[in-house]
Amino acid sequence: AKSAGGNRFELADPEADARAITRHGLTTALPAALDRGEFFIEYQPLVHLGDGSVHGAEALVRWLHPQHGVLGPDQFIPLAEHTGLIVPLGRWVLEQSVRQARQWQERHAGPAPLRINVNLSPCQLTHPGLVQDTVDILEREGLDAGALCLEVTESALIGADDDLLKPLRRLAEMGVDIALDDFGTGYSNLANLRRLPVSILKLDRSFTQGMQQFPADPVDLKIVEGIVSLAHSLDLAVTVEGVETGAQAEQLRILGCDTAQGWYYARPGPPERLHELALVDAAG
Ligand code: C2E
Ligand code: CA
Ligand code: CA
Ligand code: CA
């Protein structure tokens, strides 16, 4: 650590130094990791709150690092965004997930085809290849555009101009669902929602946490109730994430939320797991 100005000294912070070294090491290792096939995807089911049936799954990327073991996206997505690797990595995630969804659909004859949700980083939104890449992948893998949902965080779209929204609009016109992820954390203007080509609001986990007590905090209940009624009046579906208990699921169902995701139903896991859940479902 360096000495600060005046007669003050900054204390050495070995942990911060170690973190910086790790960050640097991970950043330089990222491109090769993609070539070497060190990334893998876990899938977390999304269920209908009404009857608990499986609606689809969200794809969540992980990195099996040869030295550090399994790293979560929070540990490397920001680095991939910083270096631009997020574009090829994101394309790889989309391709794998779309292929996986197609396989589920082939093996699972439920009342409605299983759907796949894929996270999009803001860097991918501004990349000119987004629409064409998505069209190509859907065509190559033979998946209906209507079975794909792209999740974009609310903060990525705050103050978005038309140039940024154009690719999302085109995808929405093709039938791809656009979900506003982590909704409620970004202080966005609610009236602004009408302008965005989104069809799903994904309520941030913080709202779900407010439903832990039964009955929940009355103010939390009012807020979620308000968001759900606004969303439905704009023809948007509401998904909740981070549901960990049956009490949360029940209150969110009563409040009119449509679909849910969380450890209460299943942790993120390998693709076979979703297939098993969907099969149990189809068997009643
Ligand atoms: P997110 O999109 O908000 O995803 C939900 C996160 O909540 C996931 O963390 C998931 O494992 C976790 N989660 C699910 N159910 C529960 C629960 O009941 N309780 C709690 N406490 N947590 C739960 P994860 O997998 O670590 O992903 C973190 C973030 O990384 C994601 O947040 C998303 O923003 C980003 N991410 C993941 N995969 C991708 C990707 O392929 N591309 C991009 N651009 N971002 C990704
Ligand atoms: Ca997400
Ligand atoms: Ca989220
Ligand atoms: Ca999040």
Side-chain angles (χ1 to χ4, degrees):
K2 291 173 255 152
S3 60
N7 52 10
R8 274 185 60 244
F9 285 90
E10 250 179 59
L11 292 175
D13 183 348
E15 273 183 35
D17 289 346
R19 276 197 302 274
I21 291 166
T22 311
R23 205 158 47 232
H24 177 74
L26 292 181
T27 306
T28 49
L30 270 170
L34 186 56
D35 292 337
R36 286 199 211 104
E38 291 172 4
F39 293 102
F40 67 100
I41 301 173
E42 288 192 318
Y43 298 89
Q44 186 177 35
L46 277 137
V47 306
H48 291 284
L49 270 166
D51 60 4
S53 63
V54 180
H55 175 71
E58 178 176 7
L60 297 160
V61 69
R62 279 92 180 80
W63 179 4
L64 179 56
H65 189 284
Q67 277 93 47
H68 302 292
V70 175
L71 302 177
D74 292 334
Q75 289 168 280
F76 62 85
I77 290 286
L79 308 178
E81 287 175 334
H82 189 68
T83 58
L85 192 85
I86 190 68
V87 170
L89 177 60
R91 199 187 295 127
W92 178 83
V93 171
L94 182 65
E95 185 170 44
Q96 296 298 308
S97 308
V98 163
R99 181 173 304 157
Q100 189 54 62
R102 181 75 192 119
Q103 283 174 18
W104 287 328
Q105 291 189 351
E106 273 166 14
R107 295 173 58 194
H108 166 77
L114 288 175
R115 311 169 39 83
I116 183 74
N117 286 33
V118 179
N119 292 286
L120 268 197
S121 142
C123 313
Q124 291 172 272
L125 269 186
T126 50
H127 186 263
L130 175 67
V131 175
Q132 195 56 50
D133 285 348
T134 308
V135 170
D136 290 348
I137 288 171
L138 287 170
E139 261 181 32
R140 202 177 327 128
E141 304 300 335
L143 190 80
D144 207 45
L148 174 66
C149 172
L150 295 174
E151 301 192 357
V152 184
T153 60
E154 183 190 18
S155 55
L157 293 188
I158 285 181
D161 59 11
D162 271 343
D163 283 346
L164 194 76
L165 295 179
K166 209 177 281 170
L168 286 183
R169 274 210 187 94
R170 285 193 47 206
L171 289 164
E173 280 159 16
M174 286 163 41
V176 174
D177 273 315
I178 310 292
L180 211 48
D181 203 353
D182 300 345
F183 183 77
T185 57
Y187 310 102
S188 67
N189 179 350
L190 289 180
N192 203 15
L193 277 177
R194 294 167 57 194
R195 203 169 75 77
L196 303 176
V198 299
S199 46
I200 298 164
L201 289 190
K202 225 172 155 178
L203 267 195
D204 190 67
R205 190 158 75 222
S206 51
F207 293 103
T208 314
Q209 277 164 351
M211 302 290 134
Q212 246 147 13
Q213 317 306 331
F214 194 93
D217 182 272
V219 176
D220 285 340
L221 284 175
K222 280 277 173 239
I223 293 173
V224 175
E225 204 173 19
I227 292 176
V228 171
S229 87
L230 173 88
H232 286 168
S233 73
L234 293 171
D235 260 335
L236 306 174
V238 178
T239 299
V240 285
E241 56 181 13
V243 177
E244 295 178 358
T245 68
Q248 287 172 316
E250 182 56 10
Q251 300 199 83
L252 290 159
R253 187 188 65 78
I254 293 169
L255 287 169
C257 299
D258 303 289
T259 48
Q261 191 180 344
W263 298 342
Y264 174 62
Y265 304 101
R267 300 226 172 199
E272 302 77 47
R273 182 88 186 96
L274 189 92
H275 182 66
E276 289 159 17
L277 286 169
L279 273 186
V280 170
D281 224 49

